Amino acid sequence: MLGSPYPQRLGVVGTDEHPITVTDLPQNRQYRLTCGCGWSATAVTWNHARMLTGQHAPDQRSG
């Protein structure tokens, strides 16, 4: 449910080799990024999340 105070999975980005799940953490105003390879990071803005994702999975095509 959009606007919920609980963590919400937004989708998967990245590459086939590095599928990164993006989860919104609204109470912390952060995004949690977790990759199938074990990598994870926390971003403080959407642009920060895109930057971290691009660094980890550089073959990604952002639109």
Side-chain angles (χ1 to χ4, degrees), residues 11-50:
V12 178
V13 297
T15 64
D16 289 342
E17 185 178 346
H18 291 282
I20 300 169
T21 301
V22 181
T23 305
D24 182 21
L25 304 174
Q27 287 190 338
N28 299 332
R29 296 185 181 177
Q30 297 174 335
Y31 297 95
R32 185 70 178 158
L33 311 171
T34 53
C35 182
C37 74
W39 174 87
S40 64
T42 302
V44 294
T45 66
W46 184 250
N47 284 337
H48 187 215
R50 291 182 64 184

